[in-house]
Amino acid sequence: MIRKILKGLGIFIGIVVALLAGFYTKVYFSTESRFKKKYDITLQALEIKPDSALLAEGQRLIAAKGCKDCHGADLSGKIFIDDPALGQVIAVNLTKGKGGLPADYNEQDWLKAMQHGLNRDNTTLKVMPSYEYTHFSEEDMKAIIAYGMQLPAIDNELPETHFKPVGRILADLDKLPVMVAEMIDHQKTLSTNVVPEVSIPFGKYLAVSCTACHKENMQGGDPVVPGSPQVANITSSGNVGKWTEEQFMTTLRSGVTPEGKTLPSQFMPWTMTKEYTDTELKALYLYLRSI
Ligand code: HEC
Ligand code: HEC
């Protein structure tokens, strides 16, 4: 009897293992083919004249758009996901030092990465949030590229991005935003009608930087990554609806809300919003309270 049961159990486990192996093989080949797909795009022309005003704006935007959160304070890159189940994701060294971008990485390559989420060989970048940057205005894009192109070389050699089984499965199911180029409309050109002023349209333009966590409708919801807090509703029906403009600005610059809550900067990146100008914060406030 016991032998029969053990035999049955053995067959059962064997079937489960075979199914899992089959499932993972499918996931593996599916992710590989998505990583290797080449995108056929036409890059738009962008004339960049790097004067001191443009470079200063580029420097500010790189801080305000959160590039340093992943690429490191000096942009020489860092391992920003390091998890035994997910794998390692490396935000590359953006300088031309050792381990950094190739010496001949040019403005076009920058544009391809930022606007289309593509490597030089037209395959998708992984995890880099180009699906947000593709909405940048021409002016912002020029400033960022101009500044990026002249970064002082810093040597920092890092491992390559690689995914472990759980990471691959989540990537394949689109539970992690890995396949960046798939999330972008490659026909769209950069917008030219963005006016930096205290207005709802400008607030909406800026709020693209909040969508990854607070969602398109700004109502937040479930944690973005396991273990992080619930994402707050920042429309007029949440706390923001009760705050004055001044309280809103103080919150996004100090990380402390009028209710006395300290926002953890690793989950709610106020280190990024503290770089926003008064105009930008006021426009965001207007926009968020309008929805
Ligand atoms: C969420 C983390 C994250 C943020 C925020 C981020 N990046 Fe990246 N970036 C990455 C990762 C990861 C890669 C490498 C992608 C790969 O290896 O496929 C990358 C790659 C790049 C590349 C392409 C380099 C190449 O190999 O072709 C450029 C250029 C770049 N980032 C610029 C920026 C700029 C500028 C910003 C801010 C506007 C920014 N990144 C914000 C994660 C990030
Ligand atoms: C990486 C994810 C992420 C991004 C990007 C992000 N937030 Fe948040 N935000 C959070 C999380 C998570 C919370 C809740 C934190 C907590 O409860 O500890 C939060 C809380 C807030 C709060 C406090 C709300 C309250 O009721 O206390 C405000 C205001 C806010 N975010 C505004 C913004 C704005 C504006 C942007 C875009 C410029 C933005 N956030 C971008 C994750 C994010």
Side-chain angles (χ1 to χ4, degrees):
M1 185 63 191
I2 300 255
R3 269 176 80 162
K4 247 188 175 163
I5 293 176
L6 283 181
K7 198 175 163 202
L9 196 65
I11 293 172
F12 176 72
I13 292 174
I15 291 174
V16 170
V17 168
L19 284 176
L20 283 178
F23 171 68
Y24 188 66
T25 307
K26 187 195 143 284
V27 164
Y28 184 85
F29 284 104
S30 160
T31 44
E32 280 303 298
S33 91
R34 290 165 78 184
F35 288 152
K36 289 189 183 127
K37 176 177 171 184
K38 300 242 181 186
Y39 288 77
D40 187 14
I41 55 144
T42 315
L43 269 187
Q44 74 178 88
L46 206 60
E47 206 188 314
I48 301 176
K49 296 207 192 73
D51 56 32
S52 60
L54 195 70
L55 291 175
E57 179 62 356
Q59 181 170 26
R60 185 187 76 84
L61 285 169
I62 287 224
K65 300 297 180 184
C67 317
K68 296 180 176 184
D69 294 344
C70 293
H71 290 280
D74 61 6
L75 303 175
S76 71
K78 78 179 191 206
I79 305 178
F80 86 98
I81 297 179
D82 190 2
D83 183 286
L86 296 177
Q88 276 188 327
V89 179
I90 284 77
V92 294
N93 179 350
L94 296 178
T95 79
K96 292 193 172 161
K98 257 193 218 127
L101 299 176
D104 60 349
Y105 195 90
N106 61 26
E107 292 173 353
Q108 304 280 305
D109 297 322
W110 268 89
L111 185 63
K112 199 191 259 187
M114 301 284 298
Q115 189 184 358
H116 295 278
L118 294 174
N119 282 301
R120 274 178 135 183
D121 68 358
N122 285 24
T123 56
T124 185
L125 289 174
K126 300 169 194 135
V127 192
M128 154 81 179
S130 309
Y131 46 84
E132 288 180 9
Y133 310 146
T134 193
H135 299 291
F136 279 169
S137 67
E138 261 192 47
E139 286 312 306
D140 285 358
M141 191 65 94
K142 284 183 190 175
I144 287 175
I145 295 178
Y147 183 75
M149 282 289 294
Q150 54 82 64
L151 290 172
I154 299 173
D155 298 341
N156 188 19
E157 291 178 287
L158 294 161
E160 295 222 352
T161 291
H162 58 272
F163 293 95
K164 293 278 170 62
V166 174
R168 278 214 188 240
I169 293 168
L170 293 178
D172 200 39
L173 298 173
D174 296 319
K175 296 288 178 205
L176 284 180
V178 173
M179 310 290 177
V180 176
E182 292 180 11
M183 300 161 71
I184 291 176
D185 173 2
H186 297 283
Q187 305 301 320
K188 190 184 145 302
T189 51
L190 296 173
S191 39
T192 50
N193 53 358
V194 176
V195 190
E197 59 181 15
V198 182
S199 70
I200 290 178
F202 187 51
K204 188 171 184 191
Y205 169 73
L206 297 167
V208 169
S209 306
C210 325
T211 52
C213 305
H214 292 280
K215 307 276 157 58
E216 213 72 52
N217 62 14
M218 299 293 141
Q219 289 178 9
D222 290 338
V224 184
V225 283
S228 69
Q230 193 77 8
V231 185
N233 175 348
I234 53 171
T235 68
S236 52
S237 58
N239 285 335
V240 176
K242 293 179 235 147
W243 300 348
T244 63
E245 180 187 78
E246 207 184 312
Q247 288 176 319
F248 177 78
M249 292 171 70
T250 308
T251 302
L252 291 187
R253 283 183 174 153
S254 66
V256 181
T257 73
E259 292 77 28
K261 179 173 201 183
T262 301
L263 302 170
S265 70
Q266 74 273 36
F267 302 126
M268 164 55 211
W270 57 269
T271 39
M272 160 184 105
T273 52
K274 93 176 167 17
E275 305 292 335
Y276 285 20
T277 61
D278 284 0
T279 306
E280 288 176 331
L281 288 177
K282 288 177 181 178
L284 264 175
Y285 180 74
L286 260 194
Y287 170 63
L288 294 174
R289 302 214 358 147
S290 76
I291 50 178

